[in-house]
Amino acid sequence: MDLMKLQNGSDIRGIALGADANLTPEAAMLFARAFVKWLHKKADGKITVAIGTDSRLSGPALKQACINGFTELGADVIDCGMASTPAMFMTTVTEGFLADGAVMVTASHLPMNRNGLKFFTKEGGLEKTDITDIIRFAEANDFHKPAQKGQVQQKDFMSVYAGQLRDKIISSTGEDQPFAGMKIIVDAGNGAGGFYADKVLKPLGADTEGSQFLDPDGTFPNHIPNPEDSEAMESIVQAVKNTNADFGVIFDTDVDRAGAVDKGGVELSKNRLIAAISAILIKEHPGTTIVTDSITSSGLAQFIAAHGGKHHRFKRGYKNVINESIRLNSEGVDSQIAIETSGHAALKENYFLDDGAYLVTRLLIEMANLRKEGKTIANLIADLAEPLESKEFRLNIKEEDFKAYGNTMIENLTVYAEKQSGWDIASDNHEGIRVSFGSEEGDGWFLVRLSLHDPLIPVNVESGSVGGVKKITEKLYAFLKSYDKLDLSPIQKFLGI
């Protein structure tokens, strides 16, 4: 097995079902042994590892293979059963558990035949270089097996984790039943997030009738469990409208991302979601820096500044924004959150853990407090200027060395842009190239970047005027059309070429 092909940045990802499966129980067992060996490089003595899965069909077999690998090398195991990714990290810092390491069996929102492994210690999620080291250990398959195997305990950590969220809400609102008289519904997408309705909201007085797709089902029969997916968001929007709910929550499969819907079907995702949590945190920490990914709107930057915060756009990738926020704090710059438009949000107060349930918890605390003033979350972002038009094009690179091809294209586009009248290149950009245009030239911007892992050029275009996206895209296409290894059909279709 070429295990290195299964590395996906700071995770392991692969095909877990079907004839072409490469993330097999055999591979999972090797990764588990390698993780124990890696942990022993950091600490001597007895090792305890916690493990959980989302609802994927391949989860139980991969989890059992990991448990076998852990115990063969003498590690004790806490089997948490169905769990969320953030909860698995919390096993490393919660009294009564304090695992040396934790593994979540998940592939987030990917298709049902995929699965993966996410690794944690009490310092947080592992970095890309750590995963590379673990894979090398797995490939070498050189492990010392002690005479005595580790022991396995099954523990209901999700109830403990849910209790932590409830305690946060009660202490922050000063009420034991802060959601009494409120209808709050959850869409778990048949992933692992159904616990939030039953173990967090109901005990705090919420009416959760109308929640949907709470039962785990690894075939994901209703919609992709992904807050970024338009069909998924439309599903929870309609559910909020149909039930006249005060608030709706939607999670991805393993609950490290979330989206929300305010009363009346007001969608809180992407820039709106960032604006809402930013307004809350800036009020509590005036002047704090909000670290986001690179495709946020110009209106969001204006919103954050108007509320007294600082906006720091950084690279796409949840580990990138988290590490950037941590770096800023280490240099004395207060940064309370790292958040992507995808719904990944990591708060300083919560171990910089990207936790969809914790993000929603913070929003609901604010909602409960705003209700006393007759307001909703929508009031928080009433002054957010939003684009009139936006479009994303995903252009495949038909070249084996796609990184070199993509980077060269972006370098050439930068040189080209510098020579064009009315093209304003962003000086604070950390990936690709972002160019803004005045009201007569398209009234917006484009961002061209190279995907982190795939042979792909994502292009984002935004405008504050009708027809602005087309005008800006036409300018960009005039440059891109000479690149024959770039699949420009999405742009050509949009432009009618």
Side-chain angles (χ1 to χ4, degrees), residues 239-278:
V240 167
K241 290 179 178 179
N242 293 341
T243 62
N244 195 29
D246 295 289
F247 204 72
V249 175
I250 182 168
F251 295 118
D252 72 340
T253 321
D254 61 327
V255 203
D256 62 357
R257 292 189 295 128
V261 180
D262 207 355
K263 190 174 181 63
V266 179
E267 186 177 319
L268 295 174
S269 62
K270 301 181 180 178
N271 290 291
R272 290 180 184 175
L273 184 66
I274 298 173
I277 190 64
S278 296

Side-chain angles (χ1 to χ4, degrees), residues 205-461:
D207 173 7
T208 62
E209 190 70 29
S211 292
Q212 56 188 19
F213 319 137
L214 302 184
D215 294 333
D217 185 339
T219 65
F220 308 127
N222 294 291
H223 62 66
I224 298 170
N226 180 7
E228 278 193 292
D229 181 71
S230 58
E231 181 184 348
M233 280 304 300
E234 180 59 24
S235 181
I236 184 63
V237 166
Q238 287 303 316
V240 167
K241 290 179 178 179
N242 293 341
T243 62
N244 195 29
D246 295 289
F247 204 72
V249 175
I250 182 168
F251 295 118
D252 72 340
T253 321
D254 61 327
V255 203
D256 62 357
R257 292 189 295 128
V261 180
D262 207 355
K263 190 174 181 63
V266 179
E267 186 177 319
L268 295 174
S269 62
K270 301 181 180 178
N271 290 291
R272 290 180 184 175
L273 184 66
I274 298 173
I277 190 64
S278 296
I280 294 168
L281 293 173
I282 294 168
K283 183 168 56 175
E284 297 172 358
H285 305 275
T288 194
T289 296
I290 310 296
V291 178
T292 74
D293 59 355
S294 59
I295 65 171
T296 51
S297 71
S298 300
L300 178 66
Q302 296 162 6
F303 175 90
I304 290 171
H307 283 250
K310 298 180 178 66
H311 183 211
H312 182 71
R313 281 192 310 106
F314 199 60
K315 301 174 183 177
R316 288 277 278 177
Y318 71 96
K319 287 293 289 184
N320 288 331
V321 294
I322 289 172
N323 288 342
E324 180 68 0
S325 188
I326 292 171
R327 182 190 70 79
L328 290 173
N329 280 286
S330 71
E331 295 180 356
V333 177
D334 181 68
S335 176
Q336 290 293 322
I337 190 171
I339 182 168
E340 281 198 303
T341 49
S342 65
H344 276 291
L347 278 74
K348 181 180 179 180
E349 67 189 47
N350 189 44
Y351 304 95
F352 272 116
L353 173 65
D354 52 318
D355 185 344
Y358 191 87
L359 172 64
V360 165
T361 294
R362 282 303 245 117
L363 293 174
L364 288 173
I365 289 169
E366 185 71 11
M367 185 182 74
N369 290 329
L370 285 170
R371 183 171 66 146
K372 301 168 187 175
E373 306 172 21
K375 298 178 180 178
T376 70
I377 293 292
N379 293 111
L380 280 182
I381 59 172
D383 58 332
L384 174 65
E386 300 192 73
L388 199 60
E389 298 181 339
S390 63
K391 187 75 176 176
E392 181 176 75
F393 305 100
R394 300 176 72 79
L395 313 178
N396 291 315
I397 302 174
K398 299 173 288 186
E399 172 66 39
E400 185 173 351
D401 191 357
F402 67 89
K403 288 188 177 181
Y405 188 86
N407 284 325
T408 298
M409 184 275 289
I410 290 171
E411 290 171 5
N412 292 341
L413 175 57
T414 303
V415 173
Y416 176 84
E418 289 171 344
K419 299 176 181 178
Q420 305 306 305
S421 176
W423 292 42
D424 182 16
I425 302 175
S427 60
D428 61 344
N429 207 50
H430 292 274
E431 65 175 341
I433 174 174
R434 180 163 169 148
V435 178
S436 297
F437 301 87
S439 57
E440 298 299 318
E441 299 295 324
D443 191 21
W445 53 267
F446 71 67
L447 173 70
V448 177
R449 63 185 179 88
L450 179 63
S451 172
L452 295 175
H453 308 297
D454 301 318
L456 190 70
I457 295 286
V459 176
N460 293 88
V461 188

Side-chain angles (χ1 to χ4, degrees), residues 50-53 78 80-94 97-99 101-104 120 156-162 164-165 192 195 254-256 350 353-358:
I51 188 167
T53 72
I78 303 171
C80 299
M82 183 74 62
S84 72
T85 292
M88 293 317 302
F89 163 76
M90 292 301 294
T91 63
T92 70
V93 295
T94 299
F97 293 83
L98 298 179
V103 174
M104 178 66 181
F120 299 93
D156 178 16
F157 184 73
M158 289 307 294
S159 291
V160 175
Y161 169 72
Q164 294 171 341
L165 297 177
F195 78 94
D254 61 327
V255 203
D256 62 357
N350 189 44
L353 173 65
D354 52 318
D355 185 344
Y358 191 87

Side-chain angles (χ1 to χ4, degrees), residues 42-81:
K42 298 169 67 68
D44 294 326
K46 193 70 173 177
I47 294 292
T48 298
V49 182
I51 188 167
T53 72
D54 64 20
S55 60
R56 291 174 182 278
L57 299 178
S58 57
L62 294 178
K63 184 187 73 169
Q64 187 57 53
C66 285
I67 290 173
N68 293 343
F70 296 146
T71 55
E72 280 185 6
L73 266 64
D76 288 338
V77 177
I78 303 171
D79 180 357
C80 299

